[in-house]
Amino acid sequence: MSLRPLIMKFGGSSLADAACMKAAAKLVRNALPDAPLVVLSAMGKTTDGLFRAARMAAQGQLEEALEAHTALMERHRQAAAKLLPLERTASVLQEIAQHGGELATILTGLSMVRELSPRSMDAVASQGERLSTLVFARFLAAEGIEVHLADARRVLRTDAKSGVATPQPKAIAALAAEHIAPHLGAGRVVVTQGYIGSTADGLVTTLGRGGSDYSAALLGAALGAREVQIWTDVEGVLTCDPRMVPGAKPIPELSFAEAAELAAFGAKVLHPATIQPAIEADIPVTVRSTMKPNGRHSVIRGDVKSGRAITALASRAPVAVVTVSSSRMLDQPGFLARLFDIFGRNGISVDIVATAEISVSLTVDNDAETDNALAEIRAFASATVVRDRAIVALVGEQLRSTPGIAARTFTALGDLNIEMISMGANEINLSLVLKKDDVPEALRRLHAELLPGDDA
Ligand code: ADP
Ligand code: ASP
Ligand code: MG
């Protein structure tokens, strides 16, 4: 098929209520000539609510879980009632009730067995996207738009790692060609769920929190899309998380590498895996504001040469830092290999690494179970772990080749203690480790020094 569809992904905040859904639908209508495939998150904070309900049920608090369930259902009923004309409302309310019944059954089951496996959690969590797409697709249809509601579980094939499933791009391409492309080709808008998928034998899975962005990029790559649009509540990828630095500004253009690095180091606006399928298929990703569609936005493309020393700041917390010291490290060939082998065997993934002559520091997950690994290491070196640290990352294409960045960074941070520093191997990322509580102040100081602007 030569048709190059447009992927339009709307996040939870863009679907928070009927008014938001109307704004999103207007954008879809304007894009009709571009063959839009609409990928939706759950409404607002529905997924958080579903997680809470599942946990309560599994703790035996069925009544509370069902109260949360009622509130979630009510949110969807209200949106449907506001969006749909009276004659169409009853049938949609019935469809919502069917989902509600399914969810209540699962919650009741969880309260009986008092356990919550990742598999059960996926069964619960998947209801959020199934409900939002149902309401939105029925609304588009009521607006006179020809629409097909595609079940992502028939397209987004994954392995069986519940909660963090790995997508299978080849199968997804074949399934998208079968279940989505023909509808787009026939001039229909296709609406489908982000975040959820299924295994070959039909087990529902999810891609991890925030995974709808990833779904959008996977489907974009599968269908050879012209662009993947991420519609959200900010006017693009900003120079810093606006909740930390209110003066952060949208970045008009970013390279794939810069965007991938920012996402990996905590810029929540993009799921960290999103960029990968887009890079492979060379599809531009844009980040836009649903409520200010004519405002600013960001374009992320492979051929962008920003030439900037610093493009943006990101932060991720909490993390733990393991420091291993040995006076014999220097004359011990294979010291690092041995260390990584120990972490690997203990299922601990290492994030950033900084080495000195007789010590090496590594960051790991804050909740990582480190006792066994540390015991093994202590047979040949001393080892300590400190928790509740944070990584602050400076990202920019010309970071490495611009003199003076490090000096300005240290001066700006002043009395805030930097516990570890690491230059990323791709040379566009300088990572610092600080105490978690110092992060807001560190970001404000660094932004003012390195990314000053009218409003900084
Ligand atoms: P959605 O529901 O649309 O998926 P998210 O909440 O996942 O939205 O992502 C958007 C949020 O990401 C923004 O509201 C902002 O608070 C946060 N964010 C963190 N870092 C950045 C950044 N560098 N640029 C833009 N937004 C960021
Ligand atoms: N609804 C899911 C979540 O809240 C996926 C997403 O929003 O991208 O994590
Ligand atoms: Mg998101």
Side-chain angles (χ1 to χ4, degrees):
M1 188 183 70
S2 60
L3 183 75
R4 301 199 69 189
L6 174 68
I7 312 296
M8 305 180 80
K9 179 260 166 177
F10 292 94
S13 54
S14 303
L15 303 166
D17 53 25
C20 295
M21 284 203 178
K22 274 189 187 163
K26 190 169 162 203
L27 293 165
V28 173
R29 180 185 286 287
N30 291 342
L32 285 181
D34 299 326
L37 164 58
V38 179
V39 179
L40 300 185
S41 293
M43 284 182 78
K45 303 223 173 293
T46 297
T47 312
D48 291 338
L50 289 166
F51 269 62
R52 267 197 307 276
R55 289 199 186 104
M56 286 190 283
Q59 284 162 12
Q61 299 163 345
L62 181 60
E63 216 171 293
E64 289 87 339
L66 291 178
E67 268 169 32
H69 164 273
T70 306
L72 290 172
M73 289 302 137
E74 184 54 25
R75 170 181 222 167
H76 293 86
R77 279 197 294 268
Q78 273 189 17
K82 280 196 184 138
L83 294 170
L84 293 157
L86 212 53
E87 69 276 13
R88 289 184 185 242
T89 312
S91 69
V92 178
L93 291 184
Q94 211 169 11
E95 289 181 284
I96 293 175
Q98 264 169 21
H99 285 278
E102 198 178 306
L103 181 57
T105 306
I106 304 174
L107 293 174
T108 308
L110 292 177
S111 79
M112 290 165 97
V113 294
R114 297 277 181 109
E115 68 178 16
L116 184 56
S117 64
R119 189 180 277 214
S120 311
M121 190 60 113
D122 277 355
V124 173
S126 63
Q127 290 288 349
E129 273 68 12
R130 290 172 62 198
L131 281 161
S132 65
T133 47
L134 171 66
V135 174
F136 194 74
R138 298 292 179 258
F139 173 47
L140 290 185
E143 292 281 287
I145 294 173
E146 251 203 275
V147 55
H148 171 72
L149 175 56
D151 188 339
R153 292 171 300 173
R154 296 180 71 186
V155 179
L156 213 119
R157 177 64 48 81
T158 71
D159 68 6
K161 281 203 298 293
S162 300
V164 285
T166 304
Q168 297 172 342
K170 271 203 190 121
I172 294 171
L175 293 165
E178 187 183 341
H179 297 294
I180 293 183
H183 294 284
L184 293 172
R188 284 174 215 120
V189 170
V190 177
V191 174
T192 195
Q193 301 84 20
Y195 179 55
I196 73 174
S198 82
T199 61
D201 54 6
L203 174 74
V204 63
T205 53
T206 66
L207 301 179
R209 295 305 308 269
S212 297
D213 301 333
Y214 193 16
S215 301
L218 286 161
L219 292 169
L223 292 161
R226 72 183 71 188
E227 178 184 333
V228 173
Q229 298 183 336
I230 306 289
W231 291 92
T232 182
D233 62 351
V234 278
E235 289 176 78
V237 180
L238 310 182
T239 49
C240 192
D241 184 341
R243 289 165 302 184
M244 298 277 191
V245 178
K249 302 168 294 286
I251 307 160
E253 280 197 325
L254 292 90
S255 65
F256 279 135
E258 286 173 325
E261 210 70 13
L262 285 171
F265 281 92
K268 189 185 169 224
V269 66
L270 283 177
H271 181 281
T274 307
I275 297 298
Q276 199 52 45
I279 297 179
E280 280 160 21
D282 199 19
I283 298 170
V285 176
T286 59
V287 179
R288 300 162 185 270
S289 159
T290 306
M291 287 307 180
K292 283 193 194 166
N294 300 319
R296 294 174 286 183
H297 67 275
S298 297
V299 182
I300 303 162
R301 271 205 318 259
D303 56 3
V304 167
K305 288 270 164 287
S306 78
R308 287 178 295 246
I310 304 282
T311 293
L313 309 173
S315 67
R316 181 143 55 78
V319 299
V321 178
V322 177
T323 300
V324 179
S325 314
S326 162
S327 54
R328 290 171 306 154
M329 195 171 134
L330 275 180
D331 48 277
Q332 276 188 46
F335 185 89
L336 284 180
R338 194 168 168 194
L339 217 50
F340 285 117
D341 177 56
I342 293 173
F343 285 114
R345 275 189 289 102
N346 285 280
I348 299 171
S349 69
V350 172
D351 202 345
I352 61 176
V353 181
T355 54
E357 282 201 345
I358 59 156
S359 71
V360 50
S361 294
L362 331 104
T363 60
V364 301
D365 203 81
N366 206 49
D367 305 323
E369 202 19 273
T370 49
D371 288 356
N372 292 344
L374 293 191
E376 278 192 55
I377 294 167
R378 285 183 183 132
F380 59 93
S382 68
T384 56
V385 57
V386 288
R387 298 188 194 268
D388 291 318
R389 289 342 194 223
I391 302 174
V392 166
L394 284 59
V395 174
E397 243 179 32
Q398 302 297 322
L399 187 71
R400 182 66 177 258
S401 53
T402 309
I405 295 286
R408 286 168 65 196
T409 299
F410 299 140
T411 308
L413 288 176
D415 56 347
L416 300 180
N417 193 29
I418 306 170
E419 299 185 0
M420 183 176 159
I421 302 168
S422 169
M423 185 81 200
N426 58 8
E427 304 193 348
I428 68 164
N429 167 355
L430 179 68
S431 299
L432 315 169
V433 174
L434 302 107
K435 288 206 177 61
K436 194 179 79 176
D437 295 343
D438 285 343
V439 168
E441 181 59 23
L443 288 174
R444 275 193 293 277
R445 291 188 191 177
L446 289 172
H447 198 273
E449 169 61 28
L450 300 168
L451 291 156
D454 310 338
D455 46 2

